[in-house]
Amino acid sequence: MNFSAGESNFTVVLMERDTFETALTKNIILVALCISINYINSMLVHTFTKHQVFNTNPRYILFIHLVVNDMIQLTLACLLHVLSYIVYTLNVSFCCLLLVITIFTTFNTPVNLATMAIERYIAVCIPLRHAQICTVQRTYITISLIWVFTAIPILPDVFILVATEPLSFFRSRIFCSREGLFQYPSMIERKNTSHYVFLALVWLSLLYTYLSIMFAARAASADARKARNTILLHGLQLLLCMISYVRSALEGGLLYFFPTKLLEIRFFSYVILQIIPRFVSPIVYGLRDQTFRKHLKGYLLCRVNASTYPHNDTLFKISGREKRPL
């Protein structure tokens, strides 16, 4: 990753500001996307909590963890972006807290995707032991280990910052970004290394599970073919997440061709790399799943019917006939 290009871009951004109309338009677009995606995700979470069939299935537990994780990441990323326009600088302590949680959730996504792929591999390739290996208790333990594992890249940087910087630094204000807060060369090197390690492990997991399921799919198993397609979509979402790790280099390359469009380039890359991948999860794993889609559709239809006939709690009139609600 070309950090020097990212550092140069970061310095230029501090000197450039959008006009009020441009800043307002960008933030309205961003907030609208954030609210829309989080609304869809919140409906998926609500559906998950209302039906026992999901609470006892490790696949859906991992999926809803991915959804909640993306909601947190998207909310904090949007908050940081809006605050950078409203107040421009933040208190260092508050900035550090927001960044740490955002980095945690960003790293959680690819690891969670790899875990979901492994669960599908066990279900298809070792079906007789799936119920024994993938229990609800072990699923929640795995989720806890995901959070511990993703804390490894960032917590040492926080400890170094606390040990080396004076107390007055944490009371000061800075433009809140990872490049602006964690500036030591060792931190930069650790960040790059952690990105490469995470990506290598996740890609190897996806490749192994995909190939194993692909061979199992030759037996014309519908479940195997569906699992194979799901892991392909895992790879697509991971590819979108991976591009965010080379964001600085990507912005540097675009800036070479469009040297006067830095602010537009950064906003475009922010939407593509931070927002769009969070829109993929509910579509791929929620609306695409037949069981989830059935329950979610039933919940939405009940809401529509109830709002259409608010004074009738027992019967709904549909097409001139009476029909009892589900």
Side-chain angles (χ1 to χ4, degrees), residues 20 23 25 51 64 67-68 74 78 107 155 181 190 200 206-207 248 254 304:
F20 175 78
T25 302
H51 299 280
I64 216 63
V67 169
V68 173
L74 184 59
C78 181
F107 272 105
L155 284 186
L181 185 61
R190 186 181 297 106
L206 287 179
L207 182 62
S248 297
L254 291 174
V304 172

Side-chain angles (χ1 to χ4, degrees), residues 214-235:
M214 184 178 67
F215 290 126
R218 290 182 176 180
S221 169
D223 290 338
R225 290 197 299 270
K226 185 177 180 180
R228 180 191 60 187
N229 295 335
T230 299
I231 293 180
L232 274 178
L233 293 171
H234 282 335

Side-chain angles (χ1 to χ4, degrees), residues 5-17 88 255 259 262-263 266:
E7 187 177 7
S8 176
N9 290 349
F10 172 73
T11 303
V12 175
V13 168
L14 291 179
M15 297 185 295
E16 293 189 21
R17 299 288 287 173
Y88 193 54
L255 186 62
L262 176 59
L263 295 177
R266 288 184 66 87

Side-chain angles (χ1 to χ4, degrees), residues 153-167:
I154 187 60
L155 284 186
D157 293 344
V158 176
F159 294 148
I160 292 173
L161 203 66
V162 172
T164 57
E165 296 291 344
L167 186 61

